[in-house]
RNA sequence: GUGGGCGUGGCCAAGCUAGGUUUAAGGCGCCAGGUUGUGGCCCUGGAGAUCGAGGGUUCAAAUCCCUCCGCUCACCCCA
């Protein structure tokens, strides 16, 4: 028998309220901040991600779903959300729009990884990007948006971690210091970190090995090696966050796994529980547009994992919104009544009422049991007797009371009853 | 890529240590009946499993051995 591929999941009807809930609130928050929705293709040229995300990142090196299509083009299932948005910004000449351009998206993300709690090969992100303005007030706006999303969702006890990793001016010198610090202690490094020392020294800082954590503690801090412009940007951002009463924590060892980040990086973490630590991550990417062969254009944004948000909503007991509920089951006895019941159910739907037909050919008792299991407030019962008199039995399921109403008045009666 | 745990009807699961008494318990759910037209509780009945797959040991394997597959948790990485 076929199963859903490893690391993917069906979202069953009973799960949908959570998805609707998160989408609804995310959409509303995005709207209140003036963000417009952008949908991009589920696959892109592989090169977009190799150039944008970075050749030596795990995402590109070992997690991308890439393939050659029948025409010989090299494409990849989208492994992250920002590069496609930037591609679309460039492709559609959005620099001619008022800056910054504010965009949001919901999309599936694909990474070939060993699945575990809160981690999938196909997951979904809500993301926002503000492109075309380098001012730290935009950083604050993005972080505020993320923070407001979480609080509007009803999630509690979250932590906001922020850091600045500098820019092209100050990072090279910082990385040299970092390398020197670790090179002097190379014999104590874990094997992964020995590789990082050469290839991606920034990542030395967030190694989880105990010995490496210790070294990271004494390592030079990004925050203390910023050039004047980055320092000014950083301090203004923190000032704005304080003004917004957003409780941040500066985390000197916070770096991000994608190459394109510069200056501001941040994450939002749920309270400690087993499983994945961050439900939202983002930062500034002022160099990305140039990597994609566009004009220098600053940008900042974040991605938030839908599955992880929903996982935490469940852990915290936040109830999702009710969907438009079913109002009635239409019960019918006999061929003639069935024919009329089909029309009656249709009339109810035309009146905006959720209604389903009880399974045909079953006893009244069985159909009522069905109505009971559907958890509807009313059952409309139509048999030969009612049909001949032009009425329908209108039964209140919770009170176990019923009365007759003229067939043609059924939609109105049900509407009134549901108010 | 590395390591731990687990695989018995749609779901939860007993049985496996000491192989035969299992035609593989029980519960939920599903269908029917108990009321020839009245649900929820209760009662009765029914459908539904080649015990993850393949091989081996044995007179006999869900139970023991081997191989493979899958799920899951953690590392790594990230949302």
């Amino acid at each position: 028998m076929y199963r859903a591929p490893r690391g993917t999941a069906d979202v069953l009807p009973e799960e949908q309220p959570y998805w609707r809930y998160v989408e609804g609130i995310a959409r509303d928050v995005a709207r209140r901040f003036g963000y417009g929705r952008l949908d991009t293709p589920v696959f892109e040229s592989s090169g977009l991600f190799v150039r944008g995300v970075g050749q030596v990142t795990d995402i590109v090196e070992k997690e991308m779903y890439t393939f050659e299509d029948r025409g010989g083009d090299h494409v990849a299932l989208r492994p992250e959300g920002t590069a496609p948005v930037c591609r679309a910004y460039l492709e559609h000449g959005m620099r001619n729009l008022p800056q910054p351009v504010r965009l949001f998206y919901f999309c599936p993300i694909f990474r070939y990884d060993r699945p575990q709690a809160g981690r999938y090969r196909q997951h979904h992100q809500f993301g926002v990007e503000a492109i075309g303005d380098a001012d730290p007030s935009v950083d604050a706006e993005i972080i505020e948006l993320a923070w407001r999303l979480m609080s509007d969702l009803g999630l509690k006890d979250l932590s906001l971690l922020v850091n600045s990793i500098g820019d092209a001016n100050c990072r090279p010198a910082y990385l040299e210091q970092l390398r020197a610090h670790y090179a002097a202690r190379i014999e104590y490094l874990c094997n992964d970190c020995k590789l990082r020392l050469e290839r991606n020294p920034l990542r030395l800082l967030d190694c989880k090995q105990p010995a490496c954590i210790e070294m990271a503690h004494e390592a030079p801090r990004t925050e203390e090696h910023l050039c004047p412009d980055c320092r000014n940007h950083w301090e203004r951002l923190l000032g704005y966050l304080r003004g917004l009463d957003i409780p941040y924590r500066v985390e000197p060892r916070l770096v991000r796994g994608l190459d394109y980040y510069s200056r501001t990086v941040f994450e939002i973490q749920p309270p400690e529980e087993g499983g994945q630590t961050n439900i939202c991550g983002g930062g500034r990417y002022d160099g990305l547009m140039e990597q994609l062969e566009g004009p220098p254009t600053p940008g900042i944004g974040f991605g938030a994992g839908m599955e992880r948000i929903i996982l935490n909503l469940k852990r915290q007991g936040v109830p999702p919104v009710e969907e438009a509920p079913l109002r009635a089951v239409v019960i019918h006895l006999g061929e003639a009544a069935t024919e009329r019941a089909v029309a009656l159910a249709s009339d109810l739907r035309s009146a905006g009422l959720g209604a389903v037909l009880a399974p045909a050919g079953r006893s009244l008792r069985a159909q009522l049991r069905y109505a009971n299991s559907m958890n509807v407030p009313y059952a409309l019962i139509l048999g030969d007797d009612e049909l001949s008199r032009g009425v329908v039995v209108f039964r209140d399921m919770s009170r176990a009371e019923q009365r007759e109403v003229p067939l043609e008045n059924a939609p109105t009666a049900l509407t009134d009853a549901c108010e």
Side-chain angles (χ1 to χ4, degrees):
Chain A
M1 199 165 64
Y2 289 108
R3 316 169 127 263
R6 188 162 163 75
T8 69
D10 299 315
V11 181
L12 298 173
E14 56 264 34
E15 287 291 302
Q16 294 291 338
Y18 283 100
W19 288 77
R20 286 297 131 64
Y21 175 69
V22 177
E23 284 167 9
I25 287 179
R27 228 192 320 266
D28 185 59
V29 170
R31 181 190 58 74
R32 275 185 281 154
F33 279 78
Y35 284 68
R37 178 158 177 164
L38 171 69
D39 292 331
T40 62
V42 89
F43 64 90
E44 300 265 2
S45 294
S46 306
L48 173 66
F49 301 111
V50 176
R51 296 293 304 279
V53 177
Q55 182 73 258
V56 301
T57 55
D58 281 2
I59 287 182
V60 168
E61 276 189 335
K62 47 191 199 193
E63 295 177 2
M64 274 216 291
Y65 279 90
T66 56
F67 60 99
E68 190 178 318
D69 69 17
R70 290 168 186 273
D73 289 336
H74 292 272
V75 297
L77 299 183
R78 169 178 46 219
E80 65 95 39
T82 299
V85 172
C86 291
R87 192 222 79 231
Y89 177 94
L90 294 171
E91 183 170 340
H92 300 286
M94 293 191 203
R95 64 173 154 160
N96 295 309
L97 299 171
Q99 305 294 299
V101 175
R102 296 179 164 94
L103 300 165
F104 77 96
Y105 57 85
F106 291 99
C107 68
I109 300 279
F110 304 86
R111 292 179 200 164
Y112 186 86
D113 222 354
R114 290 287 294 270
Q116 65 188 67
R119 198 174 70 191
Y120 305 88
R121 288 185 175 177
Q122 175 181 334
H123 77 274
H124 299 77
Q125 287 189 15
F126 165 69
V128 307
E129 313 289 349
I131 302 174
D133 189 336
D135 194 81
S137 61
V138 182
D139 302 40
E141 169 181 303
I142 288 285
I143 292 174
E144 183 200 350
L145 198 164
W147 194 248
R148 189 181 290 271
L149 169 67
M150 299 306 163
S151 92
D152 282 8
L153 283 169
L155 289 173
K156 297 196 168 57
D157 304 319
L158 302 180
S159 309
L160 169 65
L161 280 50
V162 296
N163 193 24
S164 174
I165 58 170
D167 66 5
N169 290 322
C170 48
R171 201 167 346 154
Y174 170 72
L175 291 183
E176 274 319 305
Q177 290 198 30
L178 195 61
R179 262 204 189 98
H181 173 82
Y182 279 93
R185 299 158 174 80
I186 192 163
E187 65 268 32
Y188 305 115
L189 286 174
C190 71
N191 288 331
D192 285 338
C193 280
K194 284 173 183 155
L195 285 173
R196 291 184 179 118
L197 190 57
E198 285 310 311
R199 307 189 61 192
N200 199 347
L202 210 51
R203 298 224 58 108
L204 288 162
L205 290 171
D206 67 346
C207 183
K208 310 301 188 295
Q209 299 296 323
C212 299
I213 289 177
E214 195 123 331
M215 268 178 272
H217 248 64
E218 298 150 11
R221 297 181 162 212
T222 54
E223 201 196 355
E224 289 160 4
H225 294 77
L226 300 176
C227 60
D229 284 350
C230 284
R231 166 148 301 281
N232 178 263
H233 185 98
W234 174 235
E235 284 172 356
R236 284 174 63 203
L237 168 60
L238 296 185
Y240 295 146
L241 292 180
R242 283 191 292 270
L244 289 167
D245 272 332
I246 296 175
Y248 63 85
R249 193 173 90 222
V250 176
E251 175 51 67
R253 286 178 293 132
L254 175 63
V255 299
R256 311 234 70 231
L258 289 66
D259 275 2
Y260 54 57
Y261 286 110
S262 62
R263 293 190 172 170
T264 309
V265 294
F266 69 98
E267 284 180 4
I268 293 178
Q269 303 187 347
E272 231 29 74
E273 293 261 7
Q276 307 306 318
T277 53
N278 57 323
I279 58 181
C280 173
R284 184 163 274 289
Y285 45 86
D286 293 347
L288 175 55
M289 288 293 187
E290 286 163 275
Q291 285 295 308
L292 301 180
E293 296 166 350
T297 311
I300 179 165
F302 70 76
M306 297 287 289
E307 286 84 354
R308 291 186 184 176
I309 287 173
I310 290 169
L311 180 69
N312 281 281
L313 287 172
K314 289 178 179 172
R315 281 179 176 169
Q316 297 194 12
V318 178
V321 277
E322 267 308 304
E323 292 290 270
L326 267 188
R327 301 297 196 184
V329 166
V330 179
I331 291 172
H332 46 102
L333 299 153
E335 182 54 38
T338 297
E339 186 174 342
R340 185 65 184 85
V342 168
L344 175 56
S346 176
D347 292 343
L348 296 174
R349 295 168 195 137
S350 295
L353 299 158
V356 296
L357 200 64
R362 296 192 189 174
S363 68
L364 174 59
R365 172 192 183 73
Q367 293 189 59
L368 273 167
R369 277 185 172 156
Y370 178 79
N372 192 249
S373 67
M374 290 293 104
N375 224 328
V376 293
Y378 300 98
L380 303 190
I381 305 170
L382 191 61
D384 290 338
D385 177 46
E386 288 80 11
L387 192 56
S388 65
R389 292 186 292 119
V391 298
V392 63
V393 172
F394 190 102
R395 180 175 179 81
D396 181 325
M397 295 296 285
S398 59
R399 298 170 135 180
E401 291 170 3
Q402 60 191 42
R403 62 196 162 91
E404 290 186 347
V405 303
L407 253 174
E408 61 273 18
N409 293 350
T412 328
L414 185 57
T415 301
D416 292 347
C418 289
E419 274 173 0

